[in-house]
Amino acid sequence: MATMKDIAEAAGISIGTVDRIIHNRGRYSEETAELVRKAMKELNYTPNIHARGLKQTKKHIFSVVLPKREQDGGYWRLVEEGILKAANELASFGNDIRIFPFDRYSSASCINALYMALSSDTEGMLIAACRPDDMRAPLEDTDLPYIFIDTNIPDLKQRTAYIGQDSRQSGILAGKLMSLLISGRASAGQDQYVLVVDPPGSNFHLYNRIEGFRYYMDAVMPEIRLITLKAEVDNESHFHSRLKEFHIKNQALPIGIFAANSSVYYIASFLEKEGDEYRSVPLVGYDIIPGRESAIEKGTIDFILTQQPEVQGYRGIIMLYDHIVLRKEVSKEVIMPLNIITRENIHTFTGYMNG
């Protein structure tokens, strides 16, 4: 790993001068600072976040296009918290992060927020591309760099990077977890099924999760039917009504339920309300939502897969800064690990709020 001494030798200056430039203190020329930047890049030297502002005189502005924080059970609030953490760290170096929220279930709201960001004096954007059909045309016409989080649109030319899960693989993992949960419940000769809840606002990302889940279940437990229940509104009472209507129509309870996003908490509250027989149905879904962990603690939700939304938001802003301000190369794809959360380990995860 390169040191300040290595930087000094490469730039032909003293260690003290390198230290002053890295920590932005004392007097030095812009020409010397440029020599240090060049040496740092060549030696792949990365100072900590508090040493990243090498004599910046320009204010850098980045935009974030993100669904409203309360939507999808509060999932986007977690993404926003990571963004704000990065924004606070970068603020002392003259950087400004502006958030343009939109209604994730409204095409007009999404397009309006994106055009507002594009028409501002931004130098780059962090975008949750959960409405890819609405976002594609405006993004094809811009020369601004942008990073996607949560959902990817891989073929756009100006896409700098993507941060998120391998959504299909996460669906396959969810299928494996479900098969383990129901293996003792499946009975030969009986018509049994797993309920797949397709949440509102489905996109490429959620579609791949469901497709991965179906792929695994069809391969491993072909005798189990998979029935899809489509929810139209991101609202807990709507989910309860749809689940109640479904049960009245079908009578027999499913032997398992898979939810493709954080709507799993809406399903959990319905099962708890309906009593012990419902509560015993295996349930798999996504994301820790602060304030709703009791469904995991009580075992109503058996498995949660988390994609670390706070980390996605934080890393997205830092990568924009590295790419635009420091002119560093950044990874084209950052695939988040697939963490599995249960009642036995939930207390070990960041974001957990006991009580």
Side-chain angles (χ1 to χ4, degrees):
M1 181 180 294
T3 65
M4 280 200 291
K5 181 180 178 182
D6 299 325
I7 301 299
E9 291 177 352
I13 58 178
S14 69
I15 295 177
T17 301
V18 173
D19 179 75
R20 288 199 305 275
I21 292 172
I22 286 179
H23 294 96
N24 196 22
R25 59 192 179 207
R27 298 178 62 184
Y28 53 85
S29 69
E30 180 58 30
E31 291 78 8
T32 304
E34 184 58 36
L35 288 174
V36 172
R37 295 189 191 102
K38 182 179 178 182
M40 288 171 63
K41 182 176 181 180
E42 290 175 349
L43 296 173
N44 198 29
Y45 176 85
T46 304
N48 63 40
I49 188 66
H50 299 293
R52 290 184 170 183
L54 295 183
K55 184 96 175 187
Q56 290 184 31
T57 57
K58 179 183 177 182
K59 181 177 182 179
H60 296 279
I61 299 173
F62 308 124
S63 296
V64 178
V65 182
L66 194 71
K68 294 178 180 178
R69 64 199 319 263
E70 70 275 8
Q71 292 190 317
D72 293 331
Y75 170 81
W76 298 105
R77 173 163 48 101
L78 303 178
V79 179
E80 186 178 299
E81 287 173 0
I83 290 168
L84 294 177
K85 179 183 177 183
N88 288 335
E89 292 182 2
L90 295 174
S92 60
F93 303 120
N95 300 286
D96 187 16
I97 313 298
R98 300 175 182 175
I99 298 178
F100 295 83
F102 65 90
D103 181 351
R104 138 160 171 65
Y105 304 103
S106 166
S107 175
S109 176
C110 173
I111 293 171
N112 182 62
L114 184 55
Y115 273 117
M116 286 180 65
L118 287 167
S119 61
S120 69
D121 49 356
T122 188
E123 295 177 62
M125 297 186 295
L126 183 66
I127 303 171
C130 52
R131 296 191 65 91
D133 291 342
D134 294 328
M135 293 179 164
R136 179 177 292 278
L139 292 177
E140 284 177 339
D141 291 337
T142 185
D143 292 325
L144 286 171
Y146 47 83
I147 292 175
F148 289 134
I149 56 172
D150 185 77
T151 305
N152 194 16
I153 310 177
D155 58 327
L156 291 180
K157 63 179 180 179
Q158 289 300 113
R159 187 198 72 140
T160 301
Y162 163 66
I163 306 172
Q165 277 189 359
D166 180 331
S167 51
R168 185 175 186 274
Q169 196 61 40
S170 79
I172 289 173
L173 179 58
K176 182 169 185 176
L177 295 173
M178 181 61 74
S179 71
L180 294 173
L181 289 168
I182 68 175
S183 59
R185 293 172 173 252
S187 302
Q190 292 191 16
D191 183 21
Q192 296 177 311
Y193 70 96
V194 167
L195 184 63
V196 178
V197 179
D198 186 1
S202 291
N203 54 38
F204 168 82
H205 175 60
L206 296 178
Y207 171 82
N208 276 349
R209 283 182 180 174
I210 293 172
E211 194 277 328
F213 180 84
R214 286 183 168 276
Y215 169 83
Y216 187 90
M217 292 295 296
D218 287 343
V220 175
M221 305 186 81
E223 72 279 9
I224 303 298
R225 287 192 301 143
L226 301 177
I227 299 179
T228 299
L229 176 65
K230 177 63 181 175
E232 303 295 343
V233 181
D234 180 33
N235 176 277
E236 194 155 9
S237 61
H238 170 76
F239 270 77
H240 286 200
S241 297
R242 293 287 288 125
L243 289 164
K244 192 69 174 179
E245 291 167 3
F246 179 85
H247 179 57
I248 291 172
K249 181 179 178 180
N250 290 271
Q251 295 301 312
L253 287 174
I255 62 170
I257 303 176
F258 169 64
N261 70 355
S262 57
S263 63
V264 66
Y265 294 95
Y266 298 159
I267 299 167
S269 64
F270 172 79
L271 298 179
E272 290 171 355
K273 183 177 71 171
E274 294 297 315
D276 291 342
E277 185 182 7
Y278 284 76
R279 193 162 48 237
S280 67
V281 175
L283 179 57
V284 178
Y286 287 83
D287 300 313
I288 294 181
I289 302 298
R292 306 211 66 162
E293 303 92 333
S294 64
I296 307 168
E297 294 168 329
K298 291 184 291 188
T300 308
I301 299 175
D302 295 275
F303 290 113
I304 283 287
L305 300 178
T306 179
Q307 54 188 327
Q308 302 179 59
E310 305 96 324
V311 176
Q312 289 188 46
Y314 177 85
R315 291 189 68 174
I317 294 298
I318 297 302
M319 284 175 66
L320 266 181
Y321 178 79
D322 284 348
H323 175 68
I324 294 171
V325 180
L326 299 186
R327 303 182 188 279
K328 292 176 61 176
E329 288 189 21
V330 296
S331 299
K332 286 290 186 182
E333 285 196 344
V334 177
I335 302 300
M336 303 302 296
L338 296 170
N339 292 326
I340 302 171
I341 298 174
T342 70
R343 65 191 301 181
E344 289 78 18
N345 70 353
I346 184 174
H347 64 283
T348 67
F349 280 82
T350 301
Y352 169 70
M353 295 171 58
N354 188 5

